[in-house]
């Protein structure tokens, strides 16, 4: 039953992705339309979804006992980052995309893919754990991940100004509208403040836009990649192993060291097994790194979850 439910959930997600891809092929999203979708999700629907679901599913006592919710994903990503350095060295990956490889190895698409998939698999009660993982993932991406991608830009001759890993710009990126929404919800919960029903209903309706808009955007991103440019090689194999085996495995191992509830563990495993983070392509383009290489990896790993997630749902039932 678990693998059937997971397969149906992923198929539902994939249908929305295919819709986005089809509509893009019909030129529905010319010009700045894809950026508009991103702005709607990141600045409006996602913060609303976070506030509504956190306040609906999480209490003050839950927050005070959720310390390991940050420790486990933090250690997992740190281990994967260190492993990415080793793997990149062993495989002698081209210096012009070594940083992007490392960033993709330890960061996952926790919002555009992770959030709707977890909600489809586990329901709204999974959202708080999705958000905890998202906080850690965002911190590591906008610090270590972006720092690594910048190195590729330097190799490619972009000559981007050197910036410290921890800078004002980094803080601004980490404090994104979704994270501000999460922090707002946490503050309201800790202060025992309830929002009126009409406001909660508004937040719920706006939040419901998140999944379809996110999946349509992923479809647009995939349709822009020339599939004929995809040539399977050792780098792709290593990245697939990193994303879909090593990252989830570290979560499983760490969850035996630091006790966390089963639902939290399962959500973290699925989050760790998500495709490459979409922001990686945007940052790669901005810093003169190999953005086409990144886009291909986003496409490949996004398509791969159709097989990966049902298998993990089966595994999680037995461990």
């Amino acid at each position: 039953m678990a693998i059937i439910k997971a397969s149906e959930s992923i198929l539902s997600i994939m249908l929305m992705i295919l819709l986005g891809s089809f509509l893009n092929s019909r030129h529905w999203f010319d010009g700045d339309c894809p950026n508009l979708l991103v702005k709607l999700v990141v600045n409006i629907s996602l913060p609303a979804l976070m506030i509504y679901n956190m306040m609906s599913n999480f209490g003050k006592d839950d927050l005070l006992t959720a310390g390991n919710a940050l420790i486990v994903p933090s250690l997992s990503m740190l281990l994967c980052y260190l492993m990415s350095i080793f793997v990149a060295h062993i495989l002698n990956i081209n210096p012009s995309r070594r940083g992007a490889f490392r960033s993709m190895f330890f960061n996952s698409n926790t919002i555009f893919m992770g959030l709707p998939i977890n909600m489809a698999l586990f329901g709204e009660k999974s959202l708080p754990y999705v958000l905890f993982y998202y906080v850690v993932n965002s911190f590591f991406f906008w610090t270590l991940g972006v720092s690594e991608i910048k190195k590729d830009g330097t190799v490619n001759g972009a000559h981007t100004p050197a910036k410290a890993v921890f800078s004002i710009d980094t803080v601004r990126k980490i404090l994104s509208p979704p994270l501000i929404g999460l922090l707002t919800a946490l503050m309201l919960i800790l202060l025992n403040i309830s929002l009126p029903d009409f406001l909660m209903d508004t937040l719920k309706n706006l939040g419901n836009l998140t999944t379809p808009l996110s999946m349509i955007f992923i479809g647009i991103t995939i349709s822009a990649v020339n599939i004929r440019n995809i040539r399977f090689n050792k780098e792709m194999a290593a990245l697939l192993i990193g994303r879909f085996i090593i990252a989830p495995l570290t979560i499983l191992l760490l969850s035996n060291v630091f006790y966390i509830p089963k639902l939290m563990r399962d959500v973290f495993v699925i989050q760790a097994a998500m495709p490459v983070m979409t922001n990686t392509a945007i940052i790669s383009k901005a810093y003169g790194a190999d953005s086409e290489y990144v886009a291909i990896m986003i496409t490949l790993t996004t398509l791969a979850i159709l097989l990966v997630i049902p298998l993990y749902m089966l595994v999680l039932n037995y461990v």
Side-chain angles (χ1 to χ4, degrees):
M1 285 298 294
I3 194 167
I4 293 175
K5 178 184 176 183
S7 298
E8 290 178 344
S9 299
I10 298 300
L11 284 172
S12 173
I13 295 293
M14 294 305 294
L15 284 175
M16 287 185 277
I17 291 174
L18 289 173
L19 175 62
S21 182
F22 171 75
L23 293 178
N24 192 50
S25 71
R26 306 290 291 181
H27 307 290
W28 279 43
F29 301 109
D30 293 337
D32 205 42
C33 283
N35 291 332
L36 176 60
L37 291 180
V38 173
K39 287 180 181 178
L40 283 171
V41 171
V42 172
N43 296 301
I44 304 296
S45 69
L46 190 51
L49 180 69
M50 290 189 172
I51 295 173
Y52 172 78
N53 279 294
M54 283 293 290
M55 297 191 70
S56 299
N57 298 292
F58 227 52
K60 185 175 180 179
D61 292 339
D62 297 318
L63 289 182
L64 297 177
T65 58
N68 290 346
L70 298 179
I71 294 174
V72 170
S74 296
L75 289 177
S76 169
M77 287 180 211
L78 183 59
L79 289 171
C80 288
Y81 172 64
L82 296 174
M83 196 168 297
S84 75
I85 297 174
F86 174 75
V87 173
H89 175 74
I90 292 296
L91 296 181
N92 194 27
I93 292 177
N94 191 315
S96 66
R97 55 193 189 192
R98 189 175 295 166
F101 174 86
R102 291 172 178 170
S103 181
M104 291 187 288
F105 195 95
F106 73 90
N107 278 120
S108 58
N109 192 337
T110 57
I111 288 297
F112 285 105
M113 292 297 289
L115 186 146
I117 287 176
N118 273 289
M119 290 187 68
L121 295 175
F122 304 113
E124 290 189 356
K125 61 184 179 296
S126 68
L127 184 69
Y129 307 135
V130 171
L131 301 185
F132 282 131
Y133 196 99
Y134 159 75
V135 169
V136 177
N137 193 73
S138 295
F139 176 79
F140 274 86
F141 176 76
W142 291 111
T143 52
L144 291 176
V146 171
S147 177
E148 288 290 346
I149 294 171
K150 286 180 183 178
K151 296 175 185 177
D152 291 353
T154 303
V155 173
N156 285 329
H159 301 298
T160 51
K163 294 181 181 179
V165 172
F166 295 95
S167 63
I168 296 298
D169 185 59
T170 299
V171 173
R172 182 178 64 83
K173 293 292 187 181
I174 294 173
L175 289 175
S176 58
L179 182 54
I180 292 173
L182 171 61
L183 295 175
T184 300
L186 294 177
M187 181 183 67
L188 292 173
I189 293 170
L190 289 173
L191 294 176
N192 290 320
I193 297 175
S194 298
L195 297 178
D197 289 344
F198 79 90
L199 187 53
M200 288 293 285
D201 288 341
T202 302
L203 292 170
K204 179 181 180 181
N205 290 327
L206 288 173
N208 286 338
L209 295 171
T210 301
T211 297
L213 292 182
S214 298
M215 295 305 98
I216 288 172
F217 172 73
I218 293 293
I220 295 170
T221 302
I222 290 176
S223 68
V225 174
N226 188 345
I227 301 297
R228 288 175 295 182
N229 290 341
I230 299 179
R231 297 288 184 271
F232 197 77
N233 54 40
K234 62 182 181 181
E235 291 182 28
M236 291 183 177
L239 192 56
L240 288 172
I241 291 171
R243 284 280 78 248
F244 299 130
I245 297 178
I246 295 176
L249 185 59
T250 59
I251 293 290
L252 285 172
L253 293 175
L254 288 167
S255 66
N256 289 322
V257 178
F258 302 92
Y259 171 75
I260 56 176
K262 185 181 186 304
L263 177 60
M264 184 188 293
R265 183 207 67 178
D266 293 351
V267 170
F268 284 177
V269 168
I270 298 299
Q271 285 284 65
M274 283 295 103
V276 169
M277 195 174 182
T278 349
N279 278 339
T280 312
I282 299 170
I283 297 300
S284 297
K285 184 73 172 178
Y287 287 104
D290 193 342
S291 57
E292 183 178 354
Y293 163 69
V294 172
I296 288 173
M297 294 312 305
I298 290 172
T299 303
L300 183 62
T301 54
T302 299
L303 294 174
I305 64 167
L306 187 61
L307 297 174
V308 170
I309 300 305
L311 290 176
Y312 267 109
M313 287 299 293
L314 190 62
V315 169
L316 291 173
N317 275 343
Y318 292 98
V319 296

